[in-house]
Structure formats: C-alpha cells, structure tokens
Amino acid sequence: MMPLPTSPSSSPRLLHRSSSSEWHAVVQRNVRSSLLLLLVLSTIFVFSVLYSSHGFGATTADQALTQRQSTDHGAIDRFVPAQEEADEPTVVPAENNEAPEPSLPSDISLPSANASAAPTVPASSRGRAEQTGDQSSAGAAHAEEKCDMSVGKWVREPRGPVYTNLTCPTLPDIKNCQKYGKDPGHLFWRWQPDGCDLPRFVPERFLDVVRGKTLAFIGDSLARNQMESLLCLLSQAETPTDVYRDAFDKFRTWHFPGHNFTLMAMWTEFYAHGVPVLGADGKPTPSSDIHLDRLNANWTARLPGLDYAVVSGGNWFFRVNYLWEGGRRIGCVNCREPGLTDFGIAYAVRRVVRAALEAIARCRDCKDGLVTFLRTYTPDHFEHGSWFSGGYCNRTRPLEEGEISSQSIGWELRRVQSEEVTRVRETAGSTSFELLDVTKAMMLRADGHPGGHYDKRWVRNASDCLHWCLPGPVDMWNGMLLQRLAHISPQPLLR
C-alpha cells in the first residue's frame, strides 16, 4: 500500500522557512517604525534648538544694549585704550626747530564790559555743544557729583613719582631741584580726593586718549611748567620730537609721532593785549598797560587746529598794572596813585578770563570738538620776603589744612575763575568748558618749589617759591587732566 502524502506544513524544513520569513517581516516593520520615530524626534529637536537660539540671541542683544546705555553714564575711572586709526593724517615735524614766527592778525577787539548781550555762538561752537554735550555731559555731571577731585588731602606715596630727574630727557635745568640738592621728601606724596581715588598717572593711557589730537597750554610760565611736567610724564612711554620754538622761547611745539599727538605751549601774561610801561629812562618797567577790550592775537590766532586747550594765569596781576578800555586809562591794579581807581586784582582777572573764554566760544575757525579747561590759580609760598628780598620756601612736607589762610586772595581768584566757566557754559550753551580746580591742593604744597635749589651761576641771591620742581606736585595737574580727558573722550575697546 502506498504511503499517504505528508502535509507541507508538517515538514520541518518548510516550518523553519515559514517562521524565519515572518520574523524578518516583523523586524523590518519595527526598523521602519523606529526610523520614522527617530526622524520625527530629530525634527522636533531641531526646531526646538532654533527657537531657543533665537530667544537667547534676542536676550543677549537686549542685555548688551542695557549695558551700553549704562556705560554711557559710567564711573570716571573707566578707561578703554584707543584703536590705531590708519586714516588719520600724520604731522611731519619741521626739520628746523627755530621756525620763523607766523604772521598774525592784529589784536582782537572786544565789546565793552557794559555790554549785556550774551556772546553770539557760531555754528561750530553749537556743534561742539551738541556733540560733546550729547555724548558726555550726563556722564560728566554724574562723575563730578560722584567725585570732586578739588577736595582732598595729600597722603604718603612710598612708590615715589612716575619719573625722576634722571629719566626725563626734556627736564629744564631750572626745575631740576634734585640735581641741586633739594630734600627728596616732597616726592613721596599723592593727592587723595575725598570719597574717591585719583589713579596713578599712566603715560600710555594718556597717549592713547589723545591719539591724533593737539593740546595746548595757554598762559604764563606756570602753564609752561605744566607742559614741562606732561612732557616728562609722557616721555616715559615715547620720546617726543622738538618741532618748533620761537625766537624768545615763548611758543613751543612737541610731537609724539607714535601716537600723532601734538603738544604746544602758548605764552600770554594777561590773555588781553599788554604793553610794558616805560620808565623815565625809556626802559621797560615791571608794570604793564592792559587793554581790557583787546585780546592778544599771539594766542588767539593759534586756536584753530586745537582739540584741547588748557588756559591758566593770574600771577602777573600782582604787579602794578594799568587798565585801559576804549583807548583811555580807566584805572589800575595795585597802583595806589591819587586820582586813579584801583579796581583790584580779582576785577582785572575776571575781565580778562571772561574775554578769553568768550573769544574761544565765538571762534568760528576752531574745531567743533574743541574742549577748553581752565586751570585754577595756584599761589606762591614765599616766607619773610620775596624773589630777591630774602624770601624762602624751605618746608619739607605739605602744610596742614589749618596752616592755610581762609582769607587768602587765592580763594577769591579761584571763585572768579569758577564763576566765569559756569557763565560761559550758560551763555554759549556749551558744555565744552571745564574747570581743573587745583587751588586747594597746591595751597598745601609749600614744600614743592625750587626755592634756592638751582644753578647759582646764572642768578644769585634769588629764591623761586612760585614755580614747581620736576618731578613734583605739579604732576598732579596732569593726572587730573587725564581723568577728565579719558571721561569726555571715551575710546573703543581693544580687540
């Protein structure tokens, strides 16, 4: 009998093949499902990241804007160095240091003191007010409220000065007090304002702030003293080039080629036109005829091209001088002559300071961004005499505050200068006039003058208790100037 045929499903081989096919089908379905799920999850993840990144970027931008607005009203000590500007034209120093005196216009006529109208401000001055005021007036006002650098005390500074008489290549011999034996104690003090700090002077910082700029000190020999101090300070970072001096060494120009910075000194005793009074022998006397309605064009003609001007003065008014207006003599200062009104030193100083500041405010050819600083009066410290009458100044440390007189005329002259800066800011509608108030600080430094420490081969039996040793307390003036310049001329951050 023939065997019965076997069912295909009952075959072991066929059963194995069937199970394997079903398993592969299940696996393939699972893989496709997993891939689809992975794709969906990836898509959701990508969209989530993009959304989050957009939100984060917006938040960061908002925070950056807030920080920038806050920085515009920031603290006075903030400083960021400048970037080098390739497009800035380079000043080429003259090969001949003793250049001929440039032709200058006649002295500038001024309105009468009785004129009540405010000075007419040209468009360039209004531009200065808008640019400087919009960018820095709020921050400057905030900084001034935060720290009044004119009020403070002298404290010990064990590090000593930024430079020495051996490291300054431009130091004038007449100010080199250490060379001629002055006690070095006056070198180890620094000015400490109340409630804040006046940072140690950093030459590189100053040069970065004034890169591509021109700064002039306008005034008498004390203005020159401040320029000489700044030259010594800056020469610790870059050696300057002597560009120009006039035949009388009254006008000087130095250039720092690495920073394209030009530094100038412009001589004027009174700001106004002054003529020496001749004696009976036809020779000039120490007195002058001061024409209150005419400014000296020797300095006003050089204002165009300046970015910063530091004006100062007052000491020449302590002589016997005669005041002129409208072509006639109207009075005097310190003359005590019958029939001639003695107007006093403060009146004369107010008149010429007002005229000088108004002339700068009206300057049509000056740069829009010109900023003018008025450095306040600093006194001498003669004791028991004067220059050639046995006076001396041999103190070896700063005075105590109780040792300075509250009745000193220095306080009145400081008040006059401060009031005139406030006045020109109001009448000219410009914030580009500032005060460098150093009066109190320098009243305390009777120890900082050359006195008799100079080369006696040239002058005998004299004592200089007016000018300042280098290095010495005068260096503080430039520290204060640096703080103001850095604040009103913010520089971009280093890259």
Side-chain angles (χ1 to χ4, degrees):
M1 188 166 91
M2 298 290 294
L4 295 172
T6 307
S7 170
S9 60
S10 61
S11 167
R13 179 177 293 181
L14 292 174
L15 182 60
H16 173 75
R17 287 178 181 176
S18 176
S19 300
S20 177
S21 298
E22 292 174 357
W23 171 252
H24 282 294
V26 171
V27 169
Q28 289 175 356
R29 285 196 301 270
N30 290 340
V31 168
R32 284 196 296 268
S33 300
S34 299
L35 290 175
L36 180 60
L37 179 61
L38 182 60
L39 179 61
V40 171
L41 292 175
S42 299
T43 302
I44 294 173
F45 176 76
V46 169
F47 276 106
S48 175
V49 170
L50 290 176
Y51 179 80
S52 299
S53 298
H54 176 74
F56 176 77
T59 302
T60 303
D62 291 341
Q63 291 175 346
L65 179 60
T66 302
Q67 289 176 352
R68 181 178 178 181
Q69 292 172 343
S70 175
T71 304
D72 289 340
H73 304 277
I76 190 172
D77 292 339
R78 178 179 175 274
F79 169 75
V80 282
Q83 295 179 4
E84 191 164 339
E85 297 178 3
D87 296 334
E88 190 70 36
T90 302
V91 177
V92 180
E95 295 181 359
N96 182 7
N97 289 344
E98 296 187 2
E101 186 76 6
S103 59
L104 299 171
S106 58
D107 291 334
I108 297 175
S109 296
L110 299 173
S112 169
N114 297 326
S116 59
T120 302
V121 183
S124 61
S125 295
R126 288 194 296 269
R128 287 203 298 269
E130 292 169 0
Q131 291 181 9
T132 307
D134 291 345
Q135 294 176 1
S136 62
S137 61
H142 175 73
E144 290 171 0
E145 290 175 1
K146 178 182 178 183
C147 176
D148 182 357
M149 289 188 290
S150 69
V151 181
K153 60 184 177 181
W154 291 94
V155 298
R156 288 285 187 180
E157 173 51 85
R159 292 176 294 179
V162 173
Y163 64 95
T164 71
N165 64 316
L166 300 178
T167 64
C168 175
T170 60
L171 180 63
D173 195 67
I174 196 68
K175 311 283 183 8
N176 193 346
C177 304
Q178 296 307 113
K179 178 179 178 180
Y180 296 101
K182 183 175 176 66
D183 185 285
H186 69 286
L187 299 176
F188 296 92
W189 299 88
R190 65 177 176 85
W191 180 246
Q192 175 64 63
D194 291 345
C196 60
D197 287 320
L198 178 60
R200 187 174 175 85
F201 190 95
V202 179
E204 295 83 359
R205 177 183 179 187
F206 193 103
L207 288 169
D208 279 333
V209 170
V210 298
R211 184 184 297 275
K213 306 294 186 179
T214 299
L215 183 152
F217 291 101
I218 303 171
D220 54 26
S221 55
L222 286 172
R224 179 68 167 264
N225 206 164
Q226 185 174 3
M227 186 205 73
E228 293 164 345
S229 162
L230 186 57
L231 275 174
C232 283
L233 289 163
L234 298 184
S235 68
Q236 307 309 297
E238 181 183 353
T239 302
T241 302
D242 190 351
V243 176
Y244 169 82
R245 75 173 71 192
D246 72 332
F248 302 99
D249 199 28
K250 300 292 188 181
F251 293 83
R252 296 294 305 270
T253 302
W254 297 80
H255 185 241
F256 292 80
H259 295 79
N260 192 23
F261 169 57
T262 301
L263 179 61
M264 306 174 71
M266 301 181 186
W267 174 269
T268 177
E269 306 97 323
F270 309 109
Y271 307 128
H273 178 69
V275 181
V277 174
L278 301 181
D281 57 358
K283 296 181 179 180
T285 67
S287 301
S288 294
D289 288 326
I290 305 173
H291 294 263
L292 299 175
D293 51 358
R294 294 169 58 193
L295 286 179
N296 191 328
N298 285 336
W299 69 270
T300 57
R302 291 175 166 87
L303 286 174
L306 297 184
D307 297 286
Y308 307 108
V310 182
V311 298
S312 59
N315 293 89
W316 280 69
F317 289 89
F318 285 81
R319 302 183 180 196
V320 175
N321 293 307
Y322 299 91
L323 306 181
W324 289 67
E325 191 168 17
R328 65 184 184 89
R329 190 166 67 175
I330 63 171
C332 68
V333 176
N334 299 322
C335 70
R336 299 178 181 176
E337 296 182 14
L340 200 57
T341 302
D342 190 331
F343 284 96
I345 296 172
Y347 171 85
V349 169
R350 184 184 294 278
R351 287 291 306 275
V352 298
V353 168
R354 178 175 298 183
L357 296 181
E358 288 183 353
I360 295 173
R362 292 194 305 264
C363 180
R364 297 184 180 277
D365 297 324
C366 290
K367 291 185 176 181
D368 289 344
L370 171 61
V371 179
T372 301
F373 300 90
L374 193 154
R375 194 263 300 156
T376 60
Y377 172 79
T378 59
D380 62 52
H381 288 94
F382 286 102
E383 296 183 57
H384 304 290
S386 189
W387 291 81
F388 302 100
S389 60
Y392 59 85
C393 44
N394 57 4
R395 306 288 183 122
T396 58
R397 58 176 296 137
L399 300 175
E400 297 294 334
E401 191 161 340
E403 296 181 84
I404 59 177
S405 172
S406 61
Q407 304 302 315
S408 169
I409 191 174
W411 295 116
E412 185 177 4
L413 296 183
R414 170 188 173 273
R415 177 180 57 82
V416 164
Q417 293 169 323
S418 177
E419 289 173 353
E420 290 306 311
V421 169
T422 300
R423 180 183 183 276
V424 75
R425 288 168 66 105
E426 294 174 349
T427 57
S430 173
T431 59
S432 55
F433 291 88
E434 297 213 10
L435 197 71
L436 288 182
D437 189 350
V438 301
T439 300
K440 178 186 176 182
M442 304 315 289
M443 280 186 170
L444 296 168
R445 293 311 304 267
D447 59 327
H449 303 286
H453 300 284
Y454 60 88
D455 192 341
K456 299 295 177 63
R457 292 179 299 174
W458 311 113
V459 181
R460 293 182 180 274
N461 301 321
S463 185
D464 183 358
C465 299
L466 173 65
H467 301 97
W468 303 94
C469 296
L470 296 175
V474 65
D475 297 325
M476 182 274 284
W477 305 0
N478 290 313
M480 189 180 293
L481 176 61
L482 170 55
Q483 290 305 107
R484 298 307 309 140
L485 289 175
H487 186 74
I488 66 177
S489 305
Q491 303 296 306
L493 287 168
L494 283 174
R495 289 174 293 180

